[in-house]
C-alpha cells in the first residue's frame, strides 16, 4: 500500500476473480501472450497514473518523459490514462478489462492475485531488460511465488519503526543514541520520560484506521498475525495481539505514560511529536519530512529506531507500491512495459548524472536528500546511489542508525491481503477502548472484533 493511499481510499480487496475479456485498452491488437520476444517489433503500451488536468505542470513533465522514452525506443508507442489504483474501483476495472498495460497497485494485492494467476510471470523479461540485479531480494518476495518467480516490480517501499524525540531523551537522562530495542524497554523509557519531563513517554495512533494499522504492526513485532495467508479468516484473537493490547493498557492505566490524548490520526500525532509533547511513537521514516518541514521540528531532535521486538526478531510491517503489468499483455508488451518502468523508476538510481541532478532539484524545492528508508533496490545499487548523492545530504542520517540497521535484518511482513482497511477500521475501536476505559475487557473486545471481521472476509 502506498503511503498516500493510507490517508485516502481504503485498501485491500477480497480475492479478486479476474475476468478480463480482452486486451487492455491501448495494448497491441491481437497480441499473443506467448511466443518469442522481438525487441525491435512495433509495440504499443498504455501506462496508467497520468496526472489529472488540475496539475498542468505535472502533465507537462509526464509528457516530456513519454516523448524522451519514445525517442530512445522508436518501436514503442506509449499512450497514457489517468487510471489509478483505488480499492473501491480496482475490482471493477479488472473485471471490465479496462486496465492499462502497466500501472501502480498496492502491496496488498499480489498475495491474492499471484495464486489466482491474475499477474503475468515477468521473471525472464526482467532479466532481459537487465533489471533483476538492481532489485532488493527481500522486497521482491512481496511479488514472488513459492518457486521464486516474479510477478511485479516494487517501486516504493516503507516499513514501520520507532520515531523518538532525542531532546526529550536527553532531558530524561536517556542516551539518544541507544533507543529501545524491545517493548519492555519502550515501557521503561516511557516511564522515565514522563517522570523526568512531564510529557507523554509514548503515544499510539488510534483513529482513521491507523489504530488497527499500528495494532497490526505491534502484533507482527510480537510474532503474531492478523489474517490467515489466504485472507479468509482473522488470526489476531490470540496471545501476540492480546499482549500488545495489555502493554498499551498497562502503559496507559498503570504507568500513566501516554499523556491525555488517545484519539490520534497520523497528522495529529506528528504535530504533537514535533512540538515535543511525545517521546516515542510508531512511524515510517518519512515522518521526518512532515515533522521538520510542516511542523518546525528541529532536525537535531528527530531520531528513528527499529521497530521494537518481543521475543524476536519477528519483523516489521511493510507496504508500498508495485508496478503491475496487465495479465493479457504479450511478451513484447511486457518487455516494452519493463523498459518504461526501468527508465522512469530505476535509471535515476543507476545513472550518476541523473542521481545528482535529482538531488539538486530536491534541494531547490526545499525537500530532503538522504533521509533513510526501505529501498526497492539491491543494497549494492542503493549504496552506490547514496554515495553519489552524499555531498547533497541535508538530513542527519546518523540519527536513523537503528532503523537503517533493521532494514538489513528484520523480516518485511506485508499488510493483510484481504480488505485490510476494513480490518483496520474495525480494530480502531478496540485500541480506543483499551486506552479510554480502565475496565476494558481485551478478550471480549478481540472476540467481538474477530466475529465482525470474519463476516467481512467471508464476503
Amino acid at each position: 500500500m502506498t503511503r498516500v493511499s493510507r490517508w485516502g481510499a481504503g485498501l485491500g480487496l477480497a480475492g479478486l476473480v479476474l475476468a478480463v475479456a480482452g486486451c487492455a485498452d491501448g495494448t497491441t491488437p491481437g497480441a499473443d501472450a506467448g511466443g518469442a520476444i522481438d525487441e525491435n517489433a512495433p509495440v504499443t503500451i498504455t501506462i496508467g497514473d497520468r496526472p489529472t488536468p488540475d496539475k498542468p505542470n505535472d502533465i507537462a513533465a509526464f509528457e516530456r518523459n513519454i516523448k524522451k522514452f519514445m525517442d530512445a525506443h522508436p518501436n514503442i508507442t506509449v499512450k497514457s490514462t489517468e487510471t489509478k489504483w483505488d480499492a473501491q474501483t480496482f475490482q471493477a476495472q479488472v473485471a471490465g478489462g479496462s486496465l492499462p498495460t502497466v500501472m501502480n497497485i498496492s502491496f496488498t494485492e499480489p498475495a491474492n492475485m499471484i495464486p489466482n494467476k491474475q499477474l503475468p510471470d515477468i521473471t525472464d523479461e526482467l532479466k532481459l531488460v537487465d533489471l533483476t540485479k538492481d532489485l532488493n531480494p527481500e522486497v521482491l518476495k512481496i511479488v514472488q511465488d513459492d518457486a521464486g518467480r516474479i510477478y511485479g516490480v516494487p517501486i516504493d517501499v516503507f516499513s514501520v519503526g520507532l520515531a523518538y524525540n532525542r531532546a526529550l531523551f536527553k532531558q530524561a537522562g536517556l542516551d539518544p543514541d541507544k533507543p529501545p530495542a524491545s517493548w519492555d524497554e519502550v515501557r521503561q523509557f516511557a516511564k522515565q520520560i514522563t517522570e523526568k519531563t512531564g510529557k507523554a513517554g509514548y503515544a499510539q495512533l488510534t483513529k482513521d484506521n491507523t489504530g488497527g494499522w499500528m495494532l497490526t504492526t505491534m502484533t507482527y513485532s510480537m510474532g503474531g498475525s492478523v489474517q490467515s495467508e489466504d485472507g479468509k479468516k482473522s488470526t489476531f484473537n490470540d496471545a501476540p495481539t492480546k499482549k500488545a493490547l495489555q502493554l498499551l493498557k498497562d502503559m496507559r492505566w498503570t504507568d500513566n505514560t501516554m499523556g491525555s490524548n488517545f484519539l490520534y490520526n497520523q497528522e495529529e500525532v506528528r504535530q504533537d511529536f514535533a512540538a515535543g509533547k511525545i517521546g516515542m511513537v510508531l512511524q515510517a521514516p518519512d515522518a521526518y519530512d512532515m515533522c521538520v518541514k510542516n511542523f518546525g521540528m528541529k532536525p537535531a531532535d528527530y531520531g528513528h529506531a527499529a521497530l521494537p521486538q518481543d521475543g524476536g526478531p519477528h519483523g516489521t510491517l511493510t507496504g508500498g507500491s508495485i508496478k503491475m503489468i496487465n495479465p493479457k499483455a504479450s511478451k513484447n508488451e511486457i518487455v516494452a512495459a519493463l523498459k518504461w518502468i526501468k527508465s522512469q523508476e530505476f535509471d535515476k538510481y543507476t545513472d550518476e548524472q541523473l542521481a545528482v541532478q535529482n538531488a539538486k532539484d530536491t534541494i531547490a524545492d526545499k525537500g530532503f536528500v538522504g533521509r533513510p528508508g526501505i529501498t526497492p533496490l539491491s543494497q549494492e545499487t542503493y549504496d552506490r546511489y547514496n554515495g553519489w548523492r552524499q555531498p547533497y545530504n541535508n538530513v542527519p542520517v546518523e540519527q536513523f542508525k537503528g532503523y537503517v540497521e533493521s532494514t538489513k535484518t528484520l523480516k518485511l511482513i506485508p499488510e493483510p491481503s484481504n480488505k485490510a482497511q476494513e480490518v483496520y477500521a474495525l480494530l480502531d475501536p478496540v485500541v480506543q477502548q483499551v486506552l479510554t476505559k480502565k475496565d476494558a475487557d481485551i478478550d471480549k473486545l478481540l472476540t467481538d472484533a474477530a466475529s465482525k471481521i470474519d463476516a467481512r472476509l467471508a464476503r
Side-chain angles (χ1 to χ4, degrees):
M1 154 176 202
T2 63
R3 288 180 288 261
V4 173
S5 65
R6 157 75 48 207
W7 323 125
L11 66 91
L13 294 170
L16 302 176
V17 179
L18 190 63
V20 179
C23 290
D25 181 24
T27 55
T28 307
D32 181 0
I37 296 171
D38 182 355
E39 291 191 69
N40 297 314
V43 61
T44 299
I45 61 172
T46 299
I47 56 175
D49 304 287
R50 177 185 173 87
T52 52
D54 60 320
K55 299 177 180 178
N57 292 337
D58 290 348
I59 291 176
F62 190 78
E63 291 179 342
R64 284 196 300 271
N65 287 342
I66 290 177
K67 184 180 185 303
K68 182 179 179 180
F69 177 81
M70 290 176 61
D71 287 345
H73 303 85
N75 66 305
I76 303 175
T77 299
V78 178
K79 299 180 180 180
S80 64
T81 170
E82 293 178 13
T83 302
K84 291 179 173 61
W85 179 85
D86 185 289
Q88 306 304 317
T89 60
F90 186 59
Q91 187 175 21
Q93 292 169 344
V94 171
S98 59
L99 296 177
T101 315
V102 59
M103 64 179 285
N104 293 341
I105 62 172
S106 165
F107 265 31
T108 58
E109 301 297 353
N112 282 333
M113 298 181 76
I114 292 173
N116 290 328
K117 301 186 184 302
Q118 297 165 341
L119 294 171
D121 183 337
I122 60 173
T123 311
D124 297 332
E125 289 81 5
L126 277 170
K127 294 177 181 177
L128 182 66
V129 301
D130 196 28
L131 187 53
T132 309
K133 65 179 175 58
D134 292 323
L135 298 176
N136 184 330
E138 287 300 311
V139 176
L140 265 182
K141 292 177 183 178
I142 302 292
V143 292
Q144 287 179 307
D145 62 16
D146 292 340
R149 304 295 290 181
I150 303 169
Y151 296 83
V153 185
I155 59 166
D156 180 46
V157 192
F158 74 89
S159 70
V160 179
L162 182 75
Y164 64 99
N165 188 305
R166 293 173 58 89
L168 287 182
F169 267 48
K170 291 178 182 177
Q171 291 173 34
L174 296 167
D175 186 344
D177 293 326
K178 295 181 180 179
S182 69
W183 282 107
D184 285 343
E185 289 181 342
V186 168
R187 185 177 181 184
Q188 294 166 14
F189 280 40
K191 286 181 183 179
Q192 193 163 331
I193 290 169
T194 298
E195 288 172 359
K196 299 291 186 180
T197 71
K199 308 297 184 182
Y202 178 84
Q204 187 80 0
L205 289 163
T206 56
K207 68 177 188 179
D208 298 342
N209 301 359
T210 63
W213 181 40
M214 285 298 110
L215 180 59
T216 296
T217 302
M218 291 183 71
T219 296
Y220 287 175
S221 73
M222 294 184 175
S225 62
V226 169
Q227 197 174 95
S228 59
E229 288 189 11
D230 61 10
K232 295 180 179 179
K233 188 172 178 59
S234 65
T235 58
F236 56 77
N237 192 9
D238 61 359
T241 305
K242 291 178 182 179
K243 189 169 186 178
L245 289 170
Q246 187 63 51
L247 172 65
L248 293 175
K249 189 175 185 180
D250 291 342
M251 291 173 71
R252 162 67 174 100
W253 296 104
T254 302
D255 304 344
N256 193 28
T257 58
M258 296 184 68
S260 58
N261 189 348
F262 310 107
L263 294 175
Y264 274 121
N265 64 20
Q266 180 80 301
E267 185 170 339
E268 291 164 349
V269 85
R270 289 179 174 183
Q271 187 168 8
D272 277 1
F273 177 73
K277 298 178 181 180
I278 297 169
M280 298 174 287
V281 62
L282 297 184
Q283 289 286 293
D286 66 332
Y288 176 90
D289 302 23
M290 182 180 288
C291 288
V292 174
K293 188 172 184 178
N294 297 67
F295 299 132
M297 187 175 190
K298 294 179 181 178
D301 292 348
Y302 188 97
H304 211 98
L307 178 70
Q309 302 289 298
D310 182 82
H314 298 294
T316 183
L317 180 144
T318 186
S321 295
I322 294 163
K323 285 292 186 183
M324 165 197 169
I325 295 177
N326 191 291
K328 291 294 183 179
S330 69
K331 294 287 188 181
N332 286 347
E333 289 163 359
I334 290 174
V335 170
L338 289 176
K339 288 180 178 179
W340 166 260
I341 293 169
K342 185 178 181 182
S343 72
Q344 302 304 304
E345 304 294 341
F346 292 96
D347 280 357
K348 60 188 176 186
Y349 295 115
T350 57
D351 183 308
E352 182 174 3
Q353 185 176 352
L354 284 177
V356 170
Q357 187 59 51
N358 178 264
K360 292 179 178 178
D361 292 344
T362 298
I363 291 173
D365 290 337
K366 298 182 178 180
F368 300 106
V369 176
R371 191 253 299 145
I374 295 286
T375 172
L377 304 168
S378 68
Q379 196 61 48
E380 179 183 358
T381 302
Y382 194 49
D383 288 346
R384 185 180 66 225
Y385 167 75
N386 284 330
W388 292 334
R389 290 159 56 91
Q390 195 278 332
Y392 306 93
N393 281 0
N394 59 357
V395 172
V397 178
E398 66 280 0
Q399 292 165 205
F400 292 74
K401 182 179 179 181
Y403 175 81
V404 171
E405 290 176 351
S406 77
T407 64
K408 303 172 184 178
T409 58
L410 277 186
K411 180 181 180 182
L412 299 177
I413 309 175
E415 297 179 84
S417 62
N418 188 4
K419 298 183 178 176
Q421 192 78 350
E422 293 184 43
V423 172
Y424 294 157
L426 289 168
L427 287 174
D428 269 7
V430 174
V431 183
Q432 292 170 10
Q433 290 189 58
V434 166
L435 296 180
T436 58
K437 294 183 179 180
K438 192 171 184 177
D439 61 350
D441 186 332
I442 291 174
D443 287 346
K444 186 177 187 306
L445 288 171
L446 288 179
T447 298
D448 291 347
S451 177
K452 294 175 183 176
I453 288 171
D454 284 341
R456 299 287 183 92
L457 298 180
R459 292 177 185 173

